[in-house]
Each structure stands twice: as structure tokens, then as C-alpha cells.
Amino acid sequence: MADQMADHPSLPQGRPPRTPEPSATAGTSDASGTSGASGGAAPGSTDTRAGVTRRRLLGTAGASGLVLGAAGGAVGYAARPAEATPLTSLGAGEVMFHGKHQPGILQRLQARGHLVAFDLKPGVGRREAAALLRRWSETARRLMAGEGARQDDTAVARDAGPSSLTITFGFGHGFFARTGLEKQRPVSLDPLPDFSSDRLDKARSDGDLWVQIGADDALVAFHALRAIQRDAGLAASVRWQMNGFNRSPGATASPMTARNLMGQMDGTRNPKPSEADFNERIFVPDSGAKDPAWMANGSYAVVRRIRMLLDDWERLGLKEQEDVVGRRKSDGAPLSGGSEKTAMDLDKTDAAGNLVVPINAHARITRPDQNGGAAMLRRPFSFHDGIDGDGVPDAGLLFICWQADPLRAFVPVQRKLDRGDALSEYVRHEASGLFAVPGGAARGEYVGQALLEG
């Protein structure tokens, strides 16, 4: 999975402590000082940083109907108190909620993560779904700014800064039928095909709504998870929830590609925002014939729970592990030689005439030039959910990849992996989901507003 899952230190990170009022085009910067635009506010939009307006509050109440009861209660702390200013840059990192794209896509890997899918409850339709997304968006904006939740804040994260918190929202296939919006469902959201390696648990797959939460502090991430769940109220119930982690920022002497639970450097060939075709591969264009207008600047997320059969993997010797992956375990360099970033020589042979990078090596099979240019932005979390009765760890990868069109990116690569990837013997796909993630919300708007009010 070394080239199929990813972190890349050049992707934008959480920004330093917030200035009193950033401009509409404020971006986020990474540890090396490079920056990536986070998108701007729509001209003439209303800033809701100080809270929602009376009109919008009344609009929420009018639209929420049966879900209003869950949103009631006393207002929590309105802003992070001065004494809670974090002492380190880790807690001070802040990602903007409003922007061209939703947060949680372009930022670097985060130390803690939660993935949660919801199903709309019986009787909940478009109106109630709009109220829910409005509530969720306001909660996300507040928490990502280091403020408390609007209603009955639990104070779990009161002492921390934003810690680069990101909250991302997506729609599953079933959402559109339940809300009467079938004509707005994108063709790209058609169910993924079956793969021979799948051993999917339907109860932990799909969902009407999907939320991705990431942060550099575990309590900040948990606080956001609880706030989102509480906001769901009577509108939606949890279908499944998964917890993940990555290496903490600053754990290595210098920024480097992450390692997965197999010990392999993972994500060397992840697409980079600096590449000329990055946006067209990852994001839906402003005007496209295939996708509905509400998906402009959005992306499609494929989510897979991939269990790693670690006992079997760890029985292999170093040379066997490297042949399975096609890269050196020590530094991620291709077996054909060089360093991690050296181009892989697929034709190089050894003295006996054998390919140095085996024909079924994972890194060979997943290369874009071996799949018609198919590329995905991979942004995963590792997971460990305990040890089963046989003493086997339930651990692996919460694989999340982003693309403008899953039928041209994830699907062809997974089909090729299905036909003969050496790594498939050591992994098992146990859950799956595909979600349409709309573009970011402008100031004064909520995520999905163009769909739900269009």
C-alpha cells in the first residue's frame, strides 16, 4: 500500500494563531513556509464569525421542525478564553472553515481522526436535512476557530487551541432519495462495483451523510465528534463510526512521508497541488457537463476500512516485504535504486534477468502511468481496534482518497489490484463508502446549501 496511501509534507497545514480578522483570501501554510489558498468568501456574503444572525437563527428554527429540540439549550462559551491560549504551535494551528474547498482535503495528515456516517431518520426530508447541515456548518466553524460549540458545550477541549481541527461533510447515495433530490444525484455517486478482494460488512459501509474529523489533539477531535453527534439530534442517527491516528507533527527530525502499520513509507507518489493537472484530477470543475452545479469545487471521497493481516506480514523477511511493495522499507526508495523520489525503473533487471521491481509489486501496479493516468489524493488514518480472541490485532488503514471522478481514478486502480497485487494476500477490505463532498461554504452559507436550497 506504499503508493496507494498517503501523506505529503508539501500539503498546506493548519495556520498559526489567528489574526483578529483574516482577509477573505487567507490561506494555510505548511512547516516549510509554502502556502496553499484556502479559497475566499463569496462577494457580498455575510461574516458569521460572531455568531449566526437572528434571521438565520429563525430560519434554522423554522426549517428544523422535529429536530429543533436537540439544538436547544444554553449557549456555550462564545470564544476561547485568553488563558487557554496554547503554549505550543501544535495547538495554535488553525484551518479556515470557509473557502473554495472544504477543509480536511488539502491539509497534511492529522494525528487523530474520526469518521462517522449517519442515516436520516424516518420522516426526515429536505427541510430537516437543510437545518441539520446549517447546524453542523456553524458548529464546525466555531470549533475550528477554537471556540466552544454553540449549544451546551461539553468543555472537553476548553484548554486547547484549534489544533488544526478540520470537519468535512459529504452526501451518500441514499441521501438524495430520502430528501426528494434524486435528479440532483451525481452520476459519479453510482455505487462502486464489486471487487473480488472485498469482504464488506454492510453495516459499516455507505450511509446518507458522512463526516470526517481530524485534529492534532485527541481531545479536540473527540470534542468535535461529540458536538456533531449531538447536533444530529432527531434528524439523523449514527450508522457507523471509526477512529484513526497518524504520527504526531514534530515526531520526526524533519517532515517526511508517513509510515503505515506495516512499517512502509506510504504516499511517496501522492499528487501534489503544485502539479499542473492537480485540480482537474482532484476537484470537480466550476462548470462541467457530467456533475451538477452544486458539486463545483467539490470532490468524491472513497472510504475503505482495510484490515492489515499483520501476523502474516510480519512473518515475511525484509526482502520478501520489499518485493511485495516494490520499495525499500528503510527509506521508501524504489528497488531499482536511488532515493525515495527517484523515478522507478520498471524495466531494470538483475544479473539473472529478473525484474528488480517484481511484476506484481504494489508500487508498480498502482502507478498512474500503469493505469491510464488515474490518480487520487490519498489522505488516510491508521486504526487499531483491539485484539481478537485469537490474539490477532484488528488493525490497518482507514483509506480515504479524493478525486474528481471515482470511475476514472479509484475504480480502475482497484480493479487492477484485484487482478494480481502481491499485497492483496496481506490485506482485507472490510467496509466501503462513496460520498459526494461539495465545495466549501462561503461566509454566511452552510455546506451543501446550493443542493438543499437550489
Side-chain angles (χ1 to χ4, degrees):
M1 273 170 224
D3 282 26
Q4 192 183 8
M5 309 167 289
D7 176 28
H8 196 285
S10 68
L11 294 181
Q13 300 183 26
R15 61 181 228 152
R18 177 159 53 96
T19 54
E21 185 59 40
S23 68
T25 57
T28 56
S29 61
D30 67 10
S32 63
T34 59
S35 65
S38 62
S45 61
T46 303
D47 186 353
T48 58
R49 182 174 299 276
V52 291
T53 63
R54 173 178 170 80
R55 177 182 299 175
R56 187 158 297 280
L57 277 171
L58 291 174
T60 301
S64 61
L66 59 85
V67 301
L68 179 61
V75 176
Y77 49 87
R80 186 170 67 248
E83 64 270 17
T85 300
L87 299 179
T88 70
S89 60
L90 181 68
E94 180 180 350
V95 179
M96 296 293 99
F97 172 72
H98 296 296
K100 183 177 182 179
H101 309 298
Q102 284 198 59
I105 302 175
L106 292 178
Q107 285 71 36
R108 56 157 175 75
L109 293 185
Q110 292 156 296
R112 305 295 299 188
H114 302 292
L115 308 181
V116 56
F118 294 82
D119 284 336
L120 295 177
K121 293 186 177 182
V124 172
R126 178 175 176 177
R127 186 180 181 184
E128 292 83 11
L132 173 59
L133 267 296
R134 189 180 294 116
R135 270 199 312 281
W136 272 353
S137 294
E138 174 62 8
T139 292
R141 183 197 68 78
R142 293 179 64 89
L143 298 187
M144 287 174 57
E147 302 172 9
R150 187 179 61 192
Q151 305 293 340
D152 297 329
D153 189 87
T154 61
V156 171
R158 182 182 291 272
D159 306 316
S163 301
S164 299
L165 174 68
T166 63
I167 305 176
T168 318
F169 304 103
F171 302 106
H173 186 275
F175 177 85
F176 297 85
R178 292 176 181 267
T179 54
L181 292 166
E182 294 96 329
K183 292 183 179 179
Q184 289 296 318
R185 184 175 62 224
V187 174
S188 297
L189 202 57
D190 286 351
L192 296 172
D194 295 329
F195 301 105
S196 63
S197 61
D198 286 352
R199 302 292 184 270
L200 303 182
D201 178 357
K202 298 298 184 182
R204 292 194 293 181
S205 298
D206 303 317
D208 294 339
L209 292 159
W210 175 68
V211 184
Q212 172 192 255
I213 297 169
D216 287 336
D217 178 77
L219 285 179
V220 168
F222 176 81
H223 177 245
L225 175 65
R226 286 293 293 140
I228 291 296
Q229 182 188 0
R230 284 155 59 94
D231 273 354
L234 299 177
S237 58
V238 173
R239 179 181 177 88
W240 55 260
Q241 193 260 315
M242 302 175 189
N243 307 313
F245 59 90
N246 285 303
R247 177 173 279 160
S248 297
T252 56
S254 61
M256 61 183 294
T257 306
R259 291 186 184 272
N260 58 38
L261 299 189
M262 288 179 164
Q264 298 287 337
M265 296 187 72
D266 195 335
T268 298
R269 291 185 56 85
N270 218 23
K272 303 173 184 63
S274 58
E275 296 171 357
D277 60 352
F278 178 85
N279 282 337
E280 68 183 69
R281 289 183 174 191
I282 307 306
F283 295 111
V284 174
D286 289 330
S287 57
K290 183 178 180 182
D291 294 278
W294 65 266
M295 271 298 291
N297 302 311
S299 188
Y300 292 93
V302 174
V303 181
R304 310 276 281 184
R305 186 185 195 271
I306 304 176
R307 185 167 180 175
M308 295 177 173
L309 308 181
L310 294 178
D311 283 355
D312 294 340
W313 173 256
E314 291 163 3
R315 291 189 189 101
L316 298 180
L318 178 60
K319 170 92 168 46
E320 294 173 297
Q321 290 182 351
E322 292 181 337
D323 283 346
V324 166
V325 174
R327 291 184 176 274
R328 292 200 300 255
K329 194 170 184 178
S330 60
D331 59 5
L335 297 184
S336 54
S339 64
E340 181 189 358
K341 306 298 183 181
T342 301
M344 184 176 290
D345 184 350
L346 300 180
D347 299 320
K348 186 173 182 179
T349 57
D350 59 20
N354 299 313
L355 288 169
V356 174
V357 180
I359 196 69
N360 62 347
H362 182 79
R364 174 191 283 270
I365 291 175
T366 58
R367 288 172 57 93
D369 57 11
Q370 302 294 301
N371 294 279
M376 305 160 278
L377 178 65
R378 289 90 66 199
R379 195 173 178 277
F381 292 96
S382 292
F383 73 86
H384 179 221
D385 291 335
I387 298 173
D388 65 22
D390 295 326
V392 177
D394 182 6
L397 193 81
L398 300 180
F399 174 81
I400 307 165
C401 71
W402 301 90
Q403 59 259 283
D405 184 353
L407 295 180
R408 296 180 59 188
F410 173 78
V411 171
V413 174
Q414 189 59 36
R415 278 177 171 157
K416 193 165 185 181
L417 291 170
D418 239 17
R419 293 196 295 267
D421 174 29
L423 191 61
S424 63
E425 184 178 345
Y426 303 98
V427 298
R428 187 166 61 222
H429 292 243
E430 296 185 335
S432 179
L434 171 62
F435 303 96
V437 177
R443 295 186 188 277
E445 297 180 355
Y446 63 88
V447 173
Q449 184 168 335
L451 167 65
L452 290 161
E453 297 185 15

